[in-house]
Amino acid sequence: MFVGHYGVSFAARSWDKAIPLWVLFIAVQLLDFAWAPLVLLGIEKVRIVPGITATNPLDLYYMPYTHSLVAALLWSAGAFAAYRLAVRNGGNRAALVVAVAVFSHWVLDFVVHRPDLPIYDDTAKVGLGLWNFPATAFGLETALLFAGLWLYFQTHPVRRIATAVLCVAMLAIQASVFFGPPPPSDKTAALMAIVSYVAFAGVIRLLEGRRQSVRAA
Ligand SMILES: [Zn+2]
C-alpha cells in the first residue's frame, strides 16, 4: 500500500491532537522508511518482475527485518519507546497511538501484497493480493486516504484546500505507480519511495506549521 497508509495518519491526528501530523506521516510509513535503506544496502531484497501483480511489479522476496509480522511488532514497540523518550509529557496514550500507526502499515500491506510478508524471519508468508485487482486496490487507497482526511477536517478546519491538494497530488503519484511503467531498478524503487515519503512529511509539516501560526495570530 502507498497513499492509503496516510488515511491512518489523518484519522490518528483527529483522535489525538497532541501528536504532530508529520510524526504520524513518518509512523505509518516507518517500516518502508527502514526498508528503503536496507534495500539500497542490499540487506533486504526486491527485484522488478513486470506482471508479478496487476499493479505492482515489485517481487519483494526478502524483507524479514522490516515486513515480517514479528519485525512490525518490534518496530511498533520501538516507536512507542522512542516517542515516550523524545516527547516529555507525551504520555502513554499518544505513544500508543504512534505505535498503532506504525503497526497499521503491516495490516494494510497484508491486504494488498501478494503472499510476500513473512510471519517471522523469511517464512510463513502471507498477503491477500489486492494488488491483482487494480480498480479495487486503487479504490481502497483512495477511500482510506480521503476518509482519514475527512475525519481530520472535522477537528482541524484550517488550510483545508492546501491539504486536500496535497492528497490529490499524492493520489496522482499513486496512479503513476499503479498504471505507469515499472521502475528501472530495485534501488530506484527504494529511492523513489523514500524521497516521496520525506517530501510528503515535509509538506504536511509546513502546512501544519502555518496552521499553528494562523491560530497564534
Ligand atoms: Zn510496506
Side-chain angles (χ1 to χ4, degrees), residues 57-182:
L58 301 184
D59 178 11
L60 298 149
Y61 64 99
Y62 188 72
M63 42 180 193
Y65 308 112
T66 61
H67 281 73
S68 70
L69 176 59
V70 170
L73 288 167
L74 291 173
W75 282 100
S76 306
F80 179 92
Y83 190 85
R84 285 296 275 130
L85 282 174
V87 184
R88 279 168 179 256
N89 310 322
N92 283 330
R93 183 190 129 121
L96 190 63
V97 170
V98 171
V100 169
V102 171
F103 187 68
S104 75
H105 184 100
W106 195 89
V107 175
L108 294 179
D109 272 7
F110 167 71
V111 176
V112 294
H113 277 231
R114 52 188 286 277
D116 56 18
L117 298 165
I119 296 297
Y120 65 96
D121 193 25
D122 192 37
T123 52
K125 297 190 177 181
V126 294
L128 298 180
L130 203 65
W131 273 337
N132 280 318
F133 304 90
T136 314
F138 192 76
L140 178 68
E141 302 254 11
T142 309
L144 282 171
L145 179 64
F146 285 95
L149 185 66
W150 181 82
L151 283 173
Y152 175 69
F153 282 167
Q154 305 308 304
T155 49
H156 298 80
V158 185
R159 296 194 67 78
R160 285 184 175 177
I161 293 175
T163 309
V165 167
L166 170 65
C167 287
V168 171
M170 288 159 72
L171 202 61
I173 295 171
Q174 168 92 58
S176 75
V177 170
F178 261 32
F179 306 112

